[in-house]
Amino acid sequence: MLTKPDCGWSDFSLDGTSVYPLSYLDDIPFNWLDEAIHGLETLNPFCVKGFMEPGRFICVVSFWNCHIICEDEDKYPLIPENTRHEISHTSMLQFCQQLYDDISENLDDWARWDEYGWDDDDSEFDFETNKEELIKKLVRLKELIAENEEHFGENHCFL
């Protein structure tokens, strides 16, 4: 779903969708883990976002599908030609598992993700703290994935 971060960029794609390059301007590892955790805690759809420079990426993670919307970052009314919409039959649980796998497999790189947004004059970037916080969030997400597997079984539906 998310490629290994490279110089502040990661590509995103789901089964049956295009590839979307996402930049460091959004704190993907922390924000997306927070959204996924909240979604599984409440069993409610959630939204993650990214910036493509140019363009805004939004992924609405529903129960059984993910809806990807790409639009201009301008505040002017959108026209259909400037908007992209794709749907992937990826469930909330599958999305969360893929997010867990992708960040876990490249933990050090994701812990450095926000490093690109720091200026030399700013406070020092703290890799170890970032990594510890990501690990805590990954542990919680893994617990929620295990707890919620039954809700995404064959004979279950959401109201």
mmCIF file of all heavy atoms in Angstrom, residues 1 27 36 48 64 69 112 115 118 131 158:
data_model
loop_
_atom_site.group_PDB
_atom_site.id
_atom_site.type_symbol
_atom_site.label_atom_id
_atom_site.label_comp_id
_atom_site.label_asym_id
_atom_site.label_seq_id
_atom_site.Cartn_x
_atom_site.Cartn_y
_atom_site.Cartn_z
ATOM 1 N N MET A 1 0.830 -1.179 0.000
ATOM 2 C CA MET A 1 0.000 0.000 0.000
ATOM 3 C C MET A 1 0.883 1.255 0.000
ATOM 4 O O MET A 1 0.731 2.102 -0.848
ATOM 5 C CB MET A 1 -0.923 -0.037 1.220
ATOM 6 C CG MET A 1 -1.817 1.138 1.362
ATOM 7 S SD MET A 1 -3.055 0.986 2.659
ATOM 8 C CE MET A 1 -2.078 1.260 4.115
ATOM 9 N N ASP A 27 2.098 14.339 7.850
ATOM 10 C CA ASP A 27 2.765 13.381 8.744
ATOM 11 C C ASP A 27 2.062 12.025 8.636
ATOM 12 O O ASP A 27 1.331 11.605 9.541
ATOM 13 C CB ASP A 27 2.761 13.904 10.179
ATOM 14 C CG ASP A 27 3.687 13.117 11.081
ATOM 15 O OD1 ASP A 27 4.309 12.145 10.607
ATOM 16 O OD2 ASP A 27 3.773 13.466 12.266
ATOM 17 N N ALA A 36 -6.462 5.206 11.813
ATOM 18 C CA ALA A 36 -6.773 3.774 11.757
ATOM 19 C C ALA A 36 -7.141 3.247 13.143
ATOM 20 O O ALA A 36 -8.096 2.472 13.289
ATOM 21 C CB ALA A 36 -5.590 2.998 11.179
ATOM 22 N N VAL A 48 -7.953 9.350 5.653
ATOM 23 C CA VAL A 48 -6.541 9.724 5.691
ATOM 24 C C VAL A 48 -6.281 10.640 4.500
ATOM 25 O O VAL A 48 -6.990 10.591 3.506
ATOM 26 C CB VAL A 48 -5.603 8.494 5.673
ATOM 27 C CG1 VAL A 48 -5.784 7.656 6.926
ATOM 28 C CG2 VAL A 48 -5.812 7.640 4.428
ATOM 29 N N TRP A 64 -16.083 -1.907 3.893
ATOM 30 C CA TRP A 64 -15.719 -2.937 2.918
ATOM 31 C C TRP A 64 -14.959 -2.392 1.716
ATOM 32 O O TRP A 64 -14.487 -3.154 0.880
ATOM 33 C CB TRP A 64 -16.969 -3.667 2.423
ATOM 34 C CG TRP A 64 -17.742 -4.267 3.560
ATOM 35 C CD1 TRP A 64 -18.964 -3.863 4.010
ATOM 36 C CD2 TRP A 64 -17.349 -5.351 4.406
ATOM 37 N NE1 TRP A 64 -19.337 -4.634 5.091
ATOM 38 C CE2 TRP A 64 -18.369 -5.566 5.348
ATOM 39 C CE3 TRP A 64 -16.209 -6.165 4.468
ATOM 40 C CZ2 TRP A 64 -18.302 -6.540 6.332
ATOM 41 C CZ3 TRP A 64 -16.147 -7.143 5.441
ATOM 42 C CH2 TRP A 64 -17.189 -7.328 6.352
ATOM 43 N N ILE A 69 -10.011 9.996 -3.461
ATOM 44 C CA ILE A 69 -10.396 11.228 -4.132
ATOM 45 C C ILE A 69 -9.148 12.090 -4.252
ATOM 46 O O ILE A 69 -8.437 12.301 -3.275
ATOM 47 C CB ILE A 69 -11.469 11.991 -3.330
ATOM 48 C CG1 ILE A 69 -12.688 11.101 -3.096
ATOM 49 C CG2 ILE A 69 -11.855 13.294 -4.025
ATOM 50 C CD1 ILE A 69 -13.552 11.539 -1.944
ATOM 51 N N ARG A 112 11.775 8.572 10.488
ATOM 52 C CA ARG A 112 12.488 9.734 9.943
ATOM 53 C C ARG A 112 11.624 10.556 8.982
ATOM 54 O O ARG A 112 12.068 11.575 8.452
ATOM 55 C CB ARG A 112 13.740 9.283 9.192
ATOM 56 C CG ARG A 112 14.859 8.842 10.069
ATOM 57 C CD ARG A 112 16.134 8.561 9.258
ATOM 58 N NE ARG A 112 17.188 8.113 10.123
ATOM 59 C CZ ARG A 112 17.409 6.833 10.421
ATOM 60 N NH1 ARG A 112 16.669 5.879 9.889
ATOM 61 N NH2 ARG A 112 18.378 6.503 11.238
ATOM 62 N N GLU A 115 11.396 14.206 9.353
ATOM 63 C CA GLU A 115 12.691 14.874 9.399
ATOM 64 C C GLU A 115 12.848 15.879 8.259
ATOM 65 O O GLU A 115 13.514 16.902 8.407
ATOM 66 C CB GLU A 115 13.801 13.818 9.331
ATOM 67 C CG GLU A 115 15.186 14.350 9.496
ATOM 68 C CD GLU A 115 16.211 13.225 9.531
ATOM 69 O OE1 GLU A 115 15.954 12.125 8.988
ATOM 70 O OE2 GLU A 115 17.286 13.455 10.106
ATOM 71 N N TRP A 118 11.939 19.646 8.950
ATOM 72 C CA TRP A 118 12.656 20.429 9.950
ATOM 73 C C TRP A 118 13.694 21.319 9.289
ATOM 74 O O TRP A 118 14.451 20.884 8.428
ATOM 75 C CB TRP A 118 13.367 19.504 10.946
ATOM 76 C CG TRP A 118 12.421 18.812 11.838
ATOM 77 C CD1 TRP A 118 11.768 17.647 11.592
ATOM 78 C CD2 TRP A 118 11.982 19.226 13.125
ATOM 79 N NE1 TRP A 118 10.963 17.305 12.635
ATOM 80 C CE2 TRP A 118 11.081 18.260 13.593
ATOM 81 C CE3 TRP A 118 12.278 20.320 13.929
ATOM 82 C CZ2 TRP A 118 10.461 18.370 14.835
ATOM 83 C CZ3 TRP A 118 11.662 20.418 15.159
ATOM 84 C CH2 TRP A 118 10.763 19.454 15.593
ATOM 85 N N LYS A 131 10.469 7.016 16.867
ATOM 86 C CA LYS A 131 10.430 5.561 16.706
ATOM 87 C C LYS A 131 9.656 4.913 17.855
ATOM 88 O O LYS A 131 8.815 4.037 17.625
ATOM 89 C CB LYS A 131 11.855 5.003 16.631
ATOM 90 C CG LYS A 131 11.911 3.521 16.331
ATOM 91 C CD LYS A 131 13.345 3.077 16.110
ATOM 92 C CE LYS A 131 13.413 1.579 15.845
ATOM 93 N NZ LYS A 131 14.786 1.140 15.574
ATOM 94 N N PHE A 158 -22.370 -4.199 8.661
ATOM 95 C CA PHE A 158 -22.365 -3.010 9.495
ATOM 96 C C PHE A 158 -23.627 -2.207 9.187
ATOM 97 O O PHE A 158 -24.026 -2.073 8.035
ATOM 98 C CB PHE A 158 -21.122 -2.153 9.218
ATOM 99 C CG PHE A 158 -19.847 -2.839 9.606
ATOM 100 C CD1 PHE A 158 -19.136 -3.595 8.686
ATOM 101 C CD2 PHE A 158 -19.371 -2.743 10.906
ATOM 102 C CE1 PHE A 158 -17.960 -4.225 9.053
ATOM 103 C CE2 PHE A 158 -18.200 -3.382 11.283
ATOM 104 C CZ PHE A 158 -17.488 -4.124 10.351
#
